[in-house]
Amino acid sequence: MHLSRRDFLKLAGKAGLALPFIAAPGCAPSMAGRFDTDTGLSLGTVAGDATPDGAVIWLRAEPDDSVSVQYGKESTLASFASTTPMRCARERDYTASVPLNGLDPATVYYYRAVVAGKKPGPIARFVTAPAPEDPATVKFCFGGDTREGYKPFTIMDAIRAKRPDFFIHLGDTIYADRGLIASELPEFWAKYRTNRDDAPSRRLFAETSVCVIWDDHEVRDNYQGDHPLAPIGQRAFLDYWPVRRDPAEPQRIYRSVRWGKAVEVFLLDTRQYRDRENGTMLGSRQKEWLLDALARSTATFKVIATSVPFYGGGRDRWEGYPRERSDVMKWIKRNRIKGVLFISADLHYAVVARLPGHLGLREIVTGPLAAQMNVFAIGYGKDVEFYANKTFNYGMITIDPKASPSRMAVEILDEANGSLYRTTIEAV
């Protein structure tokens, strides 16, 4: 029986085999990221961290050429505004993250990158967030773990078919420590170019915005914050994703995204501040930010996006930092914070679990999007509502804040958009 490369990888994953990187035809790292001769661009564009009045546009353009972003409300960009021309530097692998400001809330915007003297790049789109008190319905998808040996990432087409307002990548956006192992900055860049040179991913990124956090495989498996490669891995991550950055803290990755009255998503950095000796995963500043922001949020639902799960055991997860996990749960209880949900990835299987603390809180763990399944995991326990480790999967949340009572619909779907799990959570 002849097996396709993709089927072979799936079967090998089910057998628990650790496979080396296998490049798909035309997708070897040395070939990924070539500049188009007509446009002078490479690897498409990505919109990220959309707010009511802006977004960040990632692009990659030929060296020594001037590039700008044209944007407007017409799908053909017959009329448009344009950002100030700039040059993409070798120090960032010729990438740039270009902010768009002064946009209107809850509005579809179209954009394209244009290199001076060349044909404009393809038109992409995203939607800005509604104003904080706008009771607009929101739909977003989330998942983690994309390893280059599993290209094409066909699940991205399934996500695109759902037309989410935005997509959250929950980490392990590359596997720097697998296959062709990255140790120098150009090798980390090559990993990102290989993953970005994926047709389903580029189709998804052309139609919505993303919010991205990192986990361990952007550097090394289960690494702590003081790993010598962490600064290099972080630099490559920020070079290749459109993350809205604080000028006062340019290395800060944790942040929140507010989407109308419906939801505020708190995107945590569970890696660079880890200090096992002092029992902290978040570090003091991020922890203080999270607790204060949760208490202040006026959103109906508060979604905490963490690359490693609250649920379950293991030193690399929150259970390895029990005091800090307890502090978060106690804060939610003490301040009577309603509508809290945790989402995460990393386990390479999907699970829905009730969290400790008798608060009725749940965590939705999804994935992998495209990586080896954890076929040896045991998904049974008194706190487990659902478990699946046979297929790639992702999560989708839809919130209608005008409903009475306010509720979110949560669904886990496979790569053919078959429903694996569905529930409704009220903001109580």
Side-chain angles (χ1 to χ4, degrees):
M1 177 179 65
H2 174 72
L3 291 177
S4 70
R5 172 182 170 276
R6 183 176 181 81
D7 289 338
F8 169 75
L9 288 168
K10 282 187 175 181
L11 288 173
K14 290 178 181 179
L17 299 178
L19 294 172
F21 170 75
I22 304 172
C27 293
S30 61
M31 300 292 290
R34 297 175 70 179
F35 294 102
D36 180 78
T37 56
D38 292 331
T39 65
L41 301 169
S42 172
L43 301 175
T45 53
V46 187
D49 286 7
T51 66
D53 63 355
V56 179
I57 306 299
W58 178 92
L59 58 86
R60 187 169 186 263
E62 285 183 338
D64 302 322
D65 282 333
S66 177
V67 63
S68 59
V69 175
Q70 298 174 349
Y71 60 98
K73 299 177 184 179
E74 297 180 1
S75 61
T76 61
L77 288 180
S79 62
F80 55 82
S82 184
T83 62
T84 302
M86 60 179 298
R87 296 183 187 278
C88 294
R90 178 180 180 184
E91 290 74 23
R92 292 191 58 181
D93 200 30
Y94 310 112
T95 68
S97 290
V98 182
L100 304 184
N101 299 308
L103 307 183
D104 294 330
T107 301
V108 175
Y109 278 89
Y110 300 88
Y111 69 96
R112 63 189 172 197
V114 182
V115 172
K118 292 186 178 289
K119 178 183 176 181
I123 295 174
R125 68 182 293 278
F126 67 92
V127 62
T128 51
E133 296 309 314
D134 184 342
T137 298
V138 59
K139 177 167 60 179
F140 63 93
C141 298
F142 59 94
D145 308 291
T146 43
R147 183 174 173 182
E148 67 266 36
Y150 289 77
K151 288 171 59 182
F153 304 150
T154 56
I155 199 167
M156 298 303 200
D157 279 330
I159 295 170
R160 181 173 62 94
K162 292 296 183 178
R163 299 186 64 83
D165 294 305
F166 59 95
F167 168 67
I168 302 174
H169 199 310
L170 290 165
D172 292 341
T173 62
I174 62 167
Y175 279 68
D177 56 344
R178 297 291 188 270
L180 301 176
I181 295 174
S183 298
E184 304 290 338
L185 182 58
E187 296 167 344
F188 282 89
W189 283 335
K191 287 281 188 174
Y192 283 100
R193 291 197 302 268
T194 298
N195 272 17
R196 193 63 51 81
D197 193 24
D198 171 66
S201 296
R202 288 170 63 171
R203 286 192 288 266
L204 172 65
F205 298 157
E207 295 187 13
T208 193
S209 63
V210 302
C211 300
V212 185
I213 56 178
W214 69 340
D215 194 35
D216 54 342
H217 289 292
E218 285 85 356
V219 179
R220 287 294 185 269
D221 189 28
N222 295 346
Y223 83 92
Q224 296 290 299
D226 59 356
H227 193 285
L229 288 177
I232 300 174
Q234 184 189 60
R235 178 174 170 181
F237 173 86
L238 292 172
D239 283 342
Y240 267 86
W241 287 110
V243 174
R244 189 175 296 277
R245 299 170 70 178
D246 184 343
E249 297 181 76
Q251 303 310 311
R252 172 175 162 174
I253 291 173
Y254 67 88
R255 60 208 189 277
S256 73
V257 175
R258 178 69 181 261
W259 207 271
K261 186 175 179 61
V263 66
E264 185 165 3
V265 181
F266 301 89
L267 301 153
L268 302 186
D269 180 347
T270 65
R271 284 297 163 187
Q272 70 170 311
Y273 307 109
R274 286 188 182 218
D275 183 343
R276 194 172 296 283
E277 183 176 336
N278 290 305
T280 180
M281 177 184 292
L282 301 179
S284 59
R285 292 186 67 176
Q286 181 178 195
K287 178 183 174 183
E288 181 180 0
W289 165 83
L290 173 63
L291 299 184
D292 289 349
L294 278 172
R296 289 196 314 269
S297 180
T298 60
T300 303
F301 288 95
K302 297 88 179 168
V303 173
I304 299 175
T306 167
S307 64
V308 293
F310 251 59
Y311 149 81
R315 281 169 53 85
D316 192 59
R317 307 180 202 170
W318 280 86
E319 190 166 271
Y321 302 83
R323 182 184 64 198
E324 193 163 63
R325 183 170 75 166
S326 177
D327 287 346
V328 172
M329 302 300 283
K330 287 178 180 178
W331 180 263
I332 292 171
K333 182 177 181 179
R334 184 184 310 130
N335 290 274
R336 300 179 180 178
I337 301 172
K338 305 298 183 183
V340 176
L341 177 73
F342 292 79
I343 61 173
S344 59
D346 188 55
L347 300 183
H348 292 231
Y349 59 83
V351 65
V352 178
R354 293 181 294 275
L355 295 178
H358 308 290
L359 297 177
L361 298 181
R362 281 183 277 189
E363 180 168 44
I364 312 296
V365 183
T366 65
L369 294 168
Q372 183 174 322
M373 299 296 306
N374 188 347
V375 296
F376 298 112
I378 299 174
Y380 303 101
K382 61 183 178 62
D383 296 321
V384 174
E385 292 185 8
F386 168 79
Y387 167 78
N389 69 341
K390 303 301 182 186
T391 182
F392 299 155
N393 62 86
Y394 71 95
M396 183 172 72
I397 290 176
T398 306
I399 304 171
D400 180 1
K402 296 187 291 295
S404 182
S406 296
R407 60 176 64 91
M408 66 162 63
V410 180
E411 193 167 9
I412 299 176
L413 301 113
D414 65 22
E415 58 183 327
N417 273 338
S419 182
L420 303 174
Y421 170 86
R422 183 181 298 167
T423 193
T424 300
I425 299 174
E426 294 184 0
V428 295

